[in-house]
Amino acid sequence: LPSMQTSGSQPCPCPSFRLREVASMYFTMIAVFLVILVVALQGSVPRGSDFPYKVPLDPQGLLELSWNVSYPEQAVHFQLLVRDLQFGLLFGMSDRGEFENADLAVLWSDGHNSYFGDAWSDAKGRLHMDSQQDYQLLGARKAPEGLYLLFRRAFSTCDPKDYLIEDGTVHLIYGILEKPVHSLQAINISAIHRGLQRVQLLKPNITIPELPSNMKTMEITAPDIVIPSQETTYWCYMAELPDGFPKHHIIMYEPVITAGNEALVHHMEVFQCAAEFDSFPHYNGPCDSKMKPNRLNYCRHVLAAWAMGAQAFYYPEEAGLAFGGPGSSRYLRLEIHYHNPLVFEGRRDSSGIRLYYTATLRPYDAGIMELGLVYTPVMAIPPGEDAFILTGYCTDKCTQLALPAAGIRIFASQLHTHLAGRKVVTVLSRDGREQQVVNADGHYSPHFQEIRMLKEVVAVFPGDELITTCTYNTEDRSRATVGGFGILEEMCVNYVHYYPQTQLELCKSSVDPGYLRRYFNLVNRFNDEEVCTCPQVSVPQQFFSVPWNTFNRDVLKSLYDFAPISMHCNKSSAIRFPVGTASQP
């Protein structure tokens, strides 16, 4: 059998591992016959039942990835099911799903023999065998449904060619080889069937709370709709609670996916409507349809959110999310994002979310608080920026006024930006010193937003600060991107889930508008082009007329770094706590 040798490990303070087995498989055009030569490894090969997380990689469901996370070993075990193996495949990770500068495990065949190895791609997409083999092949087995490959990868390998697996979003990439190749270097990644999938690989190791015996379930699902034959659809469906439905606590929820549609249902959310309206119209159709009633825009209070690859969401045993009862709308809106790049026709779907709830109320109501930046055009990003940073503050003055003496406990978080967002992080600061990271995503994607349970509960006390920083990329834009609600405008938000619920619903900031006027005056002093500062010209129009040279960019960055901020410390009734303007921490 042909064998693949790997070079010795490079000196490194971190543990590094080498490929310790050789897999050889003989292919025919019709079937795959496997002969696996496995050299003994430290530890045992995980069983199929040991992989709790699962996601389809491609829209057809030909590749299905399952995995588990070992924090003691600081490693991820992968199980990849290949339903129709031809002449090999690529699987790996990259910064944002590119096939250039990617870290890859590659299985390839020359038509006679097969080879497995750890590889990397350069800036031109050419493949190279990695001198340090860190994807460890643990085994392979043939089953009626396809070929299973089991392999292991440490979080950190100290190999500069390897991707560092960390908390937050990971962009997984895959490619399918449909023809034999005589060498790794002969693989042309631009000519193969390929794609990407986003997941949170490093799931938190959380103890599942005991569920009460009187727990009930409610399914909020699409009513057997036909998925539109287009790549992207947001589908809205209105549901309602029974008349007179009393207050309950939601204590967990999980996805309900129609069999066969696992690769099409991208993410789902259930929103509760505003209580000030007595009724909402029934609707079942695309969210962007002109037929959708405007009143549905008042259904924005998130009850549940799921994204592909996520498991069931559990509330801490001390708290539940209240719904039903006085002051609570009985109208709910289900929103499903269908991703159908192969434009399948006639697919019917009844997916949605199953709520688990109880009439035995837990000690605390859970609450949701918005952190970050106010939705305002005074916060803007110049065009052509690769990593422009904006920061929003929940100040010590606000938490001092609004939080109880015993503080609150944050147990989950949902980060949110629009299309230019690339990184989001929220940190807790106390007495001017950073205490801990609440949630961070260094590979954030606006196309993959889910409520994530935190690895550990974060305690926030009166006088603490919560600082949310977003990094944006506007290299593909020719004019400024301002803050706002539009998809081409920007946001910087962290929806934190916490208990006990307080009156504080929004704790955000923006730069003081008076200092922005000074910025536009300064631009006019040093540039030929005039930015009109007259009252009738809007802030977005002023930003659009700025000539974006290096000076104007740097001054705007300095303004956002040092100018006083306008603090929004709002109750759920939209009445503000009296905090006013503040200096930046």
Side-chain angles (χ1 to χ4, degrees), residues 422-455:
R422 294 296 180 268
K423 299 179 182 181
V424 187
V425 59
T426 296
V427 298
L428 170 69
S429 178
R430 185 172 296 146
D431 300 323
R433 294 183 179 180
E434 181 181 319
Q435 295 292 305
Q436 66 186 111
V437 174
V438 177
N439 191 10
D441 196 339
H443 299 275
Y444 172 85
S445 169
H447 304 292
F448 185 65
Q449 302 182 34
E450 58 181 352
I451 302 173
R452 291 177 179 166
M453 293 178 281
L454 303 184
K455 289 182 177 177

Side-chain angles (χ1 to χ4, degrees), residues 19-36:
L19 187 69
R20 298 183 184 178
E21 52 284 298
V22 177
S24 183
M25 289 164 255
Y26 290 96
F27 285 68
T28 69
M29 295 300 289
I30 305 300
V32 183
F33 299 94
L34 297 175
V35 181
I36 304 297

Side-chain angles (χ1 to χ4, degrees), residues 66-326:
S66 304
W67 74 96
N68 67 39
V69 182
S70 173
Y71 286 102
E73 292 183 37
Q74 293 283 287
V76 180
H77 288 92
F78 295 101
Q79 176 180 266
L80 183 59
L81 168 60
V82 189
R83 297 190 189 276
D84 183 22
L85 181 62
Q86 298 181 53
F87 292 93
L89 60 92
L90 288 71
F91 167 83
M93 302 165 241
S94 66
D95 183 39
R96 306 208 62 80
E98 315 92 339
F99 277 75
E100 296 76 31
N101 300 314
D103 177 16
L104 298 161
V106 185
L107 174 68
W108 77 97
S109 169
D110 58 11
H112 303 286
N113 300 315
S114 296
Y115 310 88
F116 178 94
D118 184 343
W120 56 276
S121 62
D122 58 27
K124 294 185 177 180
R126 295 172 299 205
L127 296 185
H128 307 268
M129 187 64 70
D130 201 330
S131 60
Q132 182 175 312
Q133 293 286 305
D134 293 304
Y135 282 104
Q136 294 179 275
L137 183 65
L138 301 178
R141 63 184 175 90
K142 189 75 169 68
E145 62 270 25
L147 172 70
Y148 285 94
L149 290 174
L150 277 69
F151 48 99
R152 178 187 186 277
R153 171 68 151 71
F155 297 173
S156 174
T157 64
C158 298
D159 181 346
K161 300 299 183 185
D162 284 354
Y163 180 94
L164 174 65
I165 301 175
E166 53 191 349
D167 291 335
T169 302
V170 176
H171 291 71
L172 302 177
I173 56 176
Y174 66 86
I176 298 173
L177 302 181
E178 297 171 329
K179 298 178 181 178
V181 289
H182 60 80
S183 69
L184 177 75
Q185 290 75 18
I187 297 173
N188 178 2
I189 62 173
S190 64
I192 63 174
H193 173 64
R194 64 183 193 175
L196 77 95
Q197 182 64 279
R198 301 175 182 91
V199 300
Q200 180 197 20
L201 275 185
L202 301 189
K203 303 287 188 180
N205 187 15
I206 291 174
T207 302
I208 296 175
E210 187 174 343
L211 300 175
S213 58
N214 67 344
M215 180 177 66
K216 297 180 179 180
T217 64
M218 176 187 300
E219 292 189 359
I220 313 296
T221 57
D224 192 31
I225 71 159
V226 176
I227 300 173
S229 53
Q230 59 191 37
E231 180 169 348
T232 299
T233 299
Y234 284 84
W235 193 273
C236 284
Y237 170 66
M238 291 297 292
E240 56 185 283
L241 302 175
D243 201 14
F245 188 77
K247 179 179 177 180
H248 289 77
H249 271 165
I250 297 171
I251 54 178
M252 73 166 278
Y253 60 82
E254 64 183 0
V256 180
I257 310 293
T258 298
N261 292 345
E262 293 85 356
L264 301 181
V265 180
H266 187 270
H267 70 257
M268 303 182 286
E269 292 184 276
V270 175
F271 300 91
Q272 189 168 33
C273 300
E276 59 259 36
F277 295 98
D278 292 332
S279 66
F280 280 81
H282 290 284
Y283 181 72
N284 179 39
C287 300
D288 59 356
S289 169
K290 293 180 180 179
M291 302 300 291
K292 188 190 82 170
N294 288 333
R295 187 168 287 190
L296 270 61
N297 295 330
Y298 292 90
C299 304
R300 291 184 173 177
H301 178 68
V302 177
L303 286 185
W306 172 89
M308 195 177 276
Q311 301 301 106
F313 182 94
Y314 293 87
Y315 280 84
E317 57 187 0
E318 306 90 349
L321 186 64
F323 79 136

Side-chain angles (χ1 to χ4, degrees), residues 216-511:
K216 297 180 179 180
T217 64
M218 176 187 300
E219 292 189 359
I220 313 296
T221 57
D224 192 31
I225 71 159
V226 176
I227 300 173
S229 53
Q230 59 191 37
E231 180 169 348
T232 299
T233 299
Y234 284 84
W235 193 273
C236 284
Y237 170 66
M238 291 297 292
E240 56 185 283
L241 302 175
D243 201 14
F245 188 77
K247 179 179 177 180
H248 289 77
H249 271 165
I250 297 171
I251 54 178
M252 73 166 278
Y253 60 82
E254 64 183 0
V256 180
I257 310 293
T258 298
N261 292 345
E262 293 85 356
L264 301 181
V265 180
H266 187 270
H267 70 257
M268 303 182 286
E269 292 184 276
V270 175
F271 300 91
Q272 189 168 33
C273 300
E276 59 259 36
F277 295 98
D278 292 332
S279 66
F280 280 81
H282 290 284
Y283 181 72
N284 179 39
C287 300
D288 59 356
S289 169
K290 293 180 180 179
M291 302 300 291
K292 188 190 82 170
N294 288 333
R295 187 168 287 190
L296 270 61
N297 295 330
Y298 292 90
C299 304
R300 291 184 173 177
H301 178 68
V302 177
L303 286 185
W306 172 89
M308 195 177 276
Q311 301 301 106
F313 182 94
Y314 293 87
Y315 280 84
E317 57 187 0
E318 306 90 349
L321 186 64
F323 79 136
S328 173
S329 174
R330 64 189 189 93
Y331 293 92
L332 308 176
R333 176 169 65 90
L334 171 68
E335 181 175 305
I336 304 178
H337 173 200
Y338 294 106
H339 182 57
N340 184 13
L342 300 180
V343 197
F344 292 121
E345 295 186 358
R347 288 285 190 95
R348 306 196 76 90
D349 188 69
S350 299
S351 299
I353 289 179
R354 182 181 296 119
L355 304 176
Y356 292 75
Y357 63 98
T358 176
T360 306
L361 302 182
R362 290 178 167 183
Y364 302 111
D365 285 349
I368 302 173
M369 186 191 308
E370 284 190 42
L371 307 176
L373 286 172
V374 179
Y375 309 130
T376 170
V378 303
M379 305 302 296
I381 306 129
E385 293 284 345
D386 65 337
F388 194 87
I389 293 172
L390 293 177
T391 300
Y393 300 90
C394 176
T395 64
D396 53 348
K397 289 182 180 179
C398 184
T399 61
Q400 191 73 55
L401 280 170
L403 298 189
I408 60 172
R409 305 293 183 270
I410 299 175
F411 60 88
S413 162
Q414 182 182 23
L415 306 174
H416 178 74
T417 74
H418 286 172
L419 300 180
R422 294 296 180 268
K423 299 179 182 181
V424 187
V425 59
T426 296
V427 298
L428 170 69
S429 178
R430 185 172 296 146
D431 300 323
R433 294 183 179 180
E434 181 181 319
Q435 295 292 305
Q436 66 186 111
V437 174
V438 177
N439 191 10
D441 196 339
H443 299 275
Y444 172 85
S445 169
H447 304 292
F448 185 65
Q449 302 182 34
E450 58 181 352
I451 302 173
R452 291 177 179 166
M453 293 178 281
L454 303 184
K455 289 182 177 177
E456 58 182 32
V457 172
V458 177
V460 184
F461 295 101
D464 287 351
E465 293 174 321
L466 291 161
I467 303 169
T468 302
T469 299
C470 294
T471 304
Y472 302 93
N473 182 295
T474 57
E475 289 180 301
D476 61 342
R477 301 191 181 187
S478 58
R479 69 178 190 176
T481 300
V482 299
F485 291 95
I487 193 63
L488 293 178
E489 298 174 327
E490 266 309 330
M491 293 184 173
C492 178
V493 185
N494 185 355
Y495 299 98
V496 292
H497 295 244
Y498 72 96
Y499 68 89
Q501 186 177 30
T502 70
Q503 287 190 303
L504 183 60
E505 191 165 274
L506 184 149
C507 191
K508 303 162 82 172
S509 73
S510 65
V511 72

